[in-house]
Amino acid sequence: MEGFSKREIVRLGALEIMEEGKKEEYTIHFEPSGLKIEVPVGTVLLEAARKAGIYLSSICGGDGYCGKCKVVIDEGQFQSRPTTLLTPDEVRKNIVLACQTKVLSDMTVTVPRSHALQASQILMDTDARRFSELSGEPEAGVFEFDPLVRKLCVEMSAPTVHDHTADHERLYVAIRGQIDAPIMQTGFRILQGLSKLLVESNYKVAVTIGRRGGTTEVIEVEPGRRCETNFAVAVDLGTTTVVAHLIDLTNAATIDTEATYNSQINFGEDYIRRIIYAEENNAFDEMQNRIVHDVNNLIVTLAARQRIDLHDITALVCAGNTAMGHFLLNLDPTRIRKEPYIASVSFVPPIRAAEAGVQINKRGLLYCLPSVAAYVGSDIVAGVLTTRIYTKKTISLFVDIGTNGEVVLGNRDWLVCASSSAGPAFEGSGVKHGMRAAAGAIEKLNIFPDGSIEFKTIGDTHPSGICGSGLLDTLAELFINDIIDRTGRFKANGDERLTEGDEGLQFQLVPPANEHQEIVITQADINNLMRSKAGVFAAIRVLMEATQTKLEDLEAVYLAGGFGNFLNIQQAVTIGMLPDVPLEKIQFVGNTSITGAKTVLLSRKALEAAEKIAESMTYFDLMSHPTYMEEFIRARFLPHTDLSLFPTVGLAE
Amino acid sequence: MEGFSKREIVRLGALEIMEEGKKEEYTIHFEPSGLKIEVPVGTVLLEAARKAGIYLSSICGGDGYCGKCKVVIDEGQFQSRPTTLLTPDEVRKNIVLACQTKVLSDMTVTVPRSHALQASQILMDTDARRFSELSGEPEAGVFEFDPLVRKLCVEMSAPTVHDHTADHERLYVAIRGQIDAPIMQTGFRILQGLSKLLVESNYKVAVTIGRRGGTTEVIEVEPGRRCETNFAVAVDLGTTTVVAHLIDLTNAATIDTEATYNSQINFGEDYIRRIIYAEENNAFDEMQNRIVHDVNNLIVTLAARQRIDLHDITALVCAGNTAMGHFLLNLDPTRIRKEPYIASVSFVPPIRAAEAGVQINKRGLLYCLPSVAAYVGSDIVAGVLTTRIYTKKTISLFVDIGTNGEVVLGNRDWLVCASSSAGPAFEGSGVKHGMRAAAGAIEKLNIFPDGSIEFKTIGDTHPSGICGSGLLDTLAELFINDIIDRTGRFKANGDERLTEGDEGLQFQLVPPANEHQEIVITQADINNLMRSKAGVFAAIRVLMEATQTKLEDLEAVYLAGGFGNFLNIQQAVTIGMLPDVPLEKIQFVGNTSITGAKTVLLSRKALEAAEKIAESMTYFDLMSHPTYMEEFIRARFLPHTDLSLFPTVGLAE
């Protein structure tokens, strides 16, 4: 999204406009949202949209080659770079790529519904109920309630000539009367004001303490006994979405939840692309600002809605992939994408949230769950913690399918993990009519024996694209109905819906109607989906082979992530993405990232458990693994080259 | 030192001068130093002197009632408040109190030598040799060399796909290969730059680590292997003087030493007065600024002389009385002076030196030794550590006589301590011709049987006053030669040197000569000295009585402090300040405050020992002690009411 050269603008007469003394800020109206923003002449439209709070799809990070950020210019002057991604018809209709278009006047712009990301469809842990039925081995027990940050009502006797303990040590003695805190620490600024405060409050204070490893820090001392008010926020830092839960630390209750799209999305849909963008544009600060801005927005929204003072939010706990953790704290993420694929920090020490720009109590703490490797982040550790597979005697498989597909296999004695570069095909990227799980997306699809197609869209509107679970269904149904063969290739069976499109063969799922476009799935789309599912399954195979785990050894398969929310488990087995175990062994566990973050927030012992999990997990680098490519190639069949691995799919010859 | 009202200046025509457009800054020349300074019209002369770097005695803190800051105005216009502290003759000679005089023009001012404090005479540990012969019980051993802050050369293997440990954890593993550091911590800013630095330095770095309780903090990571350069400064924060030693942390050598007067002195000679001043004028920041300024000056002087970069000074360790520790860190000192006499903090956690304004490496640490009570500071803990009385089977007495007289009694099983409000009489305050141990001060004095007096001055100049050790001699000699009786009262024995002065009877020690004034000791002076020595001895008695320690149980008496440097041990027993034990049991140990600070700096185990000492010492509040007043009254005889306590003084009837 580098600026166009001055010469280009000159050619268009924009400079003349400026030189004539006309105004240099223009107002852009976005429809149908009605949002507007003032921007300087020459601003790139994608950037203007972001500033207005509209997040457009932009897989390529604004480089102009994904064609996802199409908008319609209803009114106004603009300058667009030529592109092959728009048809002559689209150009006539004033459709442009927002990332390749600059503002030259006041404008009115319509954003197609399918392209704008909407916060309403984000996966929250709506499946918490189902999750709550999950249980580990009995001996795992439940973590004791001992939040990382808590407020204590502390009352001391005032000093006398016979009890001349200094104020600081007097406070420590009183705190230790209530909690176990052998090693304590107090910030210098608090020490400086402590005596005055203790005297004025008659030695009755509310003390906020935070755990930092084995050390207990006195975060704040306030007069009086206002210690019933203490909140924290748990955050799942997703590449696509950021989810926040507001927790009452006095009783462990989740009071409210909120979610938003990750506003880094303009810089690329996957984090590798964002790292490249940040490197090329020295935009690490900007990258941090965006995610911090998102987190702050969530916090402010939750606090405002619940009428909570930000001062009373004393902790933030985050889980997420390694790159997002690095972006949030502005740790160097560049080596995540370069061999040998290294994180800067796996065990991030607690810091003051304000140091990262997060707006809670200015002395409040920010905790990150530990991660395992560059491609196995703290969200996966949170998943292992949540599903308790690390406490079980029997072997479990944990699969988190999002932008990547992370896989963990193990039990209480060992844990192995890997990350397949599944790619974001199941998130709608790299698929012609792929889209996010937003209004208008086909989320379920059936093809009947007579060839007719039934589907359901999110919001029950006319379909404008297909989201992940719809794509999974599509792939499975095309296969079951013999429209594609086991290699994923279209069969020339005379179906008139199979036509030659711009990108080769394509199959029409929904015909055009009125102003609505047709929806198709292309051979290239299928190839991308096949690669993604093959990547996940190959990762599972590598881990099972390496640990000599047989199919029948798998006692439980846990599915987590954004994809999983709409996942048809049967179809996931049919296409060979998940191993063919009895369906009752497969369980959807929702957003385990945020559940894990909450668990850690509420119990110091859970944080210790998460640290042990991260330490003990053995990471398999698939790219350098001798059999991964072979497994990957074998998995690029439906369901698999080796049909004996999928007995229930019913194709065994 | 509150400003005069505008009306006063108007009366003197100063405003007219200003309104006529004359210059508003005037130059003040100070003689004989030759120092000069530009100050605005109306500046108080005492303040002008301080700005010029001249520290005048000012016991009352500039309130105009101690009469110690007399100077001669040689030239220039000024405005002085009337005072009864100047004789008509002095007024004629243009002698003024600097604290009561304002600048109205360019001026030349002569500062009497005896009143200006000179840095050259400050007690350093010149007695280090003698001290080095001190030894504890053999089992006490020597503390292992393990400085609080150290630099390590750390070399790591670069990551590979088979060794993907994150950079942060990689560094920890490498550090733990060299030192014992189970709990580690790294600042956020360092984490942010760590990866880039490790890559650029090819995984060879110099790591500065600091100990904070059980935690080892990574203070700094620098590229390359420059780890041979690491320095620290130990500081003794005295009420009167501040002493600094520069230490090479790589080999424990003391490279250089420097000292300065505490520039808070303008606000009062003792710290109680300074606390009052700070409270009344809300001058806590100013109080901190001064002492920090002094410490910074010492550091800069040492670093410049030794051509050391301040960046390479990574730690500062301080010992001093509780009030000075509070002033340095701007901790609330006000309750030190009010019943029940409480410190804000006894165990000050390590902080970043920059947080207190101390200019060493910006991430360098500042450590304070722990203190025991409001009136038993970390200097006393340092003394106990240095003399090792806490390791001995037999009982020792430790006496530190400075502005106060702190006393510690004990052995390896128990330690008791107290602080007598000895008052600064032995430092020359409250004594008509008392002065500091500066050039011209009588430091030794003998009265022969024929009545003739022999004395020695510091610098062998004409005497301009009497410093502490001279006052001790004077008191003892007046007593031995029957000029005063056992109650300290002058005997009317017809000696013509005994005359009636302004303040009652006075004895002429040195007759006037040429332009030099006579030097006398007055009845009031003697009364003050008697009170001081009685306070110290009463404190010793209270501790001995409380612990049932008999004179013969005392195996060692250690004397420390500024006073001690010139102390005639025999005379100290003669006047009844120290217990009458065989002289060989009494040992002068110099400045144990700075020695203790250095010991702690060089060994973590020594800091732990200091913490145990501070924790285990039982403090006796003398003011509320039932027998202290009685003991004090009994001790206000020469040597004591009970002569059996002083058999060797030879007065037993």
Side-chain angles (χ1 to χ4, degrees), chain B residues 136-188:
Chain B
E137 300 288 293
E139 66 264 37
V142 173
F143 294 112
E144 61 172 341
F145 179 66
D146 180 10
L148 295 181
V149 173
R150 58 198 296 179
K151 262 188 201 171
L152 305 173
C153 289
V154 177
E155 191 164 343
M156 294 152 270
S157 56
T160 68
V161 285
H162 304 294
D163 173 16
H164 61 273
T165 302
D167 284 327
H168 171 239
E169 286 71 37
R170 185 172 296 270
L171 181 68
Y172 278 15
V173 168
I175 291 171
R176 286 179 177 136
Q178 294 191 33
I179 59 161
D180 178 41
I183 303 170
M184 296 191 65
Q185 180 181 312
T186 302
F188 186 44

Side-chain angles (χ1 to χ4, degrees), chain A residues 159-161 164 166-169 188-189 191-192 195 199 203 329-330 335 340 342-347 349 355 619, chain B residues 159-161 164 166-169 188-189 191-192 195 199 203 329-330 335 340 342-347 349 355 619:
Chain A
T160 67
V161 284
H164 61 273
D167 283 328
H168 172 239
E169 286 72 36
F188 186 44
R189 299 295 160 206
L191 282 187
Q192 290 183 317
S195 274
V199 171
Y203 285 85
L329 304 182
N330 209 346
R335 295 162 69 230
I342 303 297
S344 281
V345 188
S346 290
F347 290 72
E355 283 191 274
Y619 173 68
Chain B
T160 68
V161 285
H164 61 273
D167 284 327
H168 171 239
E169 286 71 37
F188 186 44
R189 299 295 160 207
L191 282 187
Q192 291 184 317
S195 274
V199 171
Y203 286 86
L329 304 182
N330 209 345
R335 293 163 69 230
I342 303 298
S344 281
V345 187
S346 290
F347 290 71
E355 283 191 275
Y619 172 69

Side-chain angles (χ1 to χ4, degrees), chain B residues 7 15 25 29 56 73 110 136 142 182 186 196 216 259 293 337 411 426 430 439 479 495 554 578 588 595 622 627-628:
Chain B
R7 208 180 316 151
L15 204 62
E25 290 265 331
H29 286 259
L56 295 167
I73 311 291
T110 294
V142 173
T186 302
K196 193 155 184 278
T216 300
H293 175 80
R337 73 171 190 91
N411 59 18
F426 283 104
F479 171 52
D495 192 318
L554 286 181
L578 294 182
F588 176 64
T595 311
L622 295 179
T627 65
Y628 178 70

Side-chain angles (χ1 to χ4, degrees), chain B residues 556-573:
Chain B
V557 176
Y558 298 103
L559 280 181
F563 183 99
N565 217 21
F566 306 99
L567 195 74
N568 182 332
I569 287 168
Q570 174 62 67
Q571 303 290 47
V573 175

Side-chain angles (χ1 to χ4, degrees), chain A residues 350-653:
Chain A
I351 64 167
R352 228 166 277 299
E355 283 191 274
V358 172
Q359 288 161 4
I360 56 172
N361 181 306
K362 66 181 179 175
R363 294 184 54 84
L365 297 181
L366 188 163
Y367 298 85
C368 294
L369 267 64
S371 60
V372 177
Y375 298 122
V376 176
S378 59
D379 48 349
I380 305 308
V381 173
V384 173
L385 181 76
T386 302
T387 55
R388 298 207 188 137
I389 65 178
Y390 73 105
T391 65
K392 295 176 188 179
K393 209 167 163 182
T394 57
I395 298 173
S396 306
L397 174 69
F398 174 82
V399 180
D400 190 349
I401 298 178
T403 307
N404 285 335
E406 293 97 340
V407 176
V408 182
L409 185 72
N411 59 19
R412 67 186 182 194
D413 296 319
W414 52 268
L415 291 165
V416 294
C417 63
S419 174
S420 81
S421 49
F426 285 104
E427 294 200 312
S429 293
V431 173
K432 186 178 176 86
H433 285 131
M435 67 178 285
R436 290 167 192 290
I442 294 173
E443 59 174 345
K444 282 179 195 298
L445 185 140
N446 263 306
I447 303 179
F448 293 97
D450 67 355
S452 66
I453 294 176
E454 201 177 81
F455 58 83
K456 186 194 168 302
T457 59
I458 296 175
D460 296 318
T461 66
H462 191 90
S464 47
I466 321 169
C467 71
S469 52
L471 289 167
L472 179 68
D473 284 351
T474 301
L475 187 62
E477 294 289 307
L478 290 174
F479 172 52
I480 291 166
N481 290 281
D482 245 11
I483 299 166
I484 55 176
D485 65 17
R486 283 185 57 208
T487 68
R489 266 194 297 264
F490 283 117
K491 288 182 177 176
N493 60 359
D495 192 319
E496 60 186 17
R497 290 170 295 188
L498 187 67
T499 59
E500 189 74 31
D502 302 344
E503 301 168 21
L505 284 175
Q506 62 183 38
F507 187 83
Q508 187 186 69
L509 297 169
V510 182
N514 300 331
E515 80 276 29
H516 296 294
Q517 62 177 356
E518 67 171 349
I519 292 178
V520 302
I521 185 135
T522 70
Q523 187 64 60
D525 295 344
I526 291 170
N527 295 348
N528 281 340
L529 291 167
M530 293 282 281
R531 266 198 296 277
S532 286
K533 82 96 186 169
V536 171
F537 192 74
I540 295 170
R541 289 285 299 164
V542 164
L543 294 186
M544 287 179 72
E545 290 290 323
T547 56
Q548 297 182 297
T549 302
K550 299 193 195 74
L551 202 60
E552 55 269 30
D553 297 333
L554 285 181
E555 277 303 309
V557 175
Y558 298 103
L559 280 181
F563 183 99
N565 216 21
F566 307 98
L567 194 76
N568 182 330
I569 287 168
Q570 173 64 66
Q571 303 290 48
V573 175
T574 300
I575 65 164
M577 184 163 76
L578 293 182
D580 193 1
V581 297
L583 284 189
E584 63 270 22
K585 287 189 177 180
I586 306 179
Q587 205 168 349
F588 175 64
V589 290
N591 185 340
T592 51
S593 177
I594 196 142
T595 311
K598 274 158 66 171
T599 307
V600 162
L601 171 65
L602 294 172
S603 178
R604 196 158 48 128
K605 286 270 186 296
L607 177 55
E608 287 168 15
E611 287 168 349
K612 270 193 196 139
I613 291 167
E615 261 166 24
S616 65
M617 274 166 91
T618 303
Y619 173 68
F620 280 66
D621 177 57
L622 296 179
M623 285 305 116
S624 66
H625 195 272
T627 65
Y628 177 70
M629 270 323 284
E630 194 185 319
E631 288 289 353
F632 177 69
I633 290 162
R634 294 177 70 210
R636 280 180 65 184
F637 274 68
L638 292 169
H640 196 271
T641 317
D642 181 358
L643 290 174
S644 72
L645 291 172
F646 289 86
T648 73
V649 179
L651 291 177
E653 281 148 86

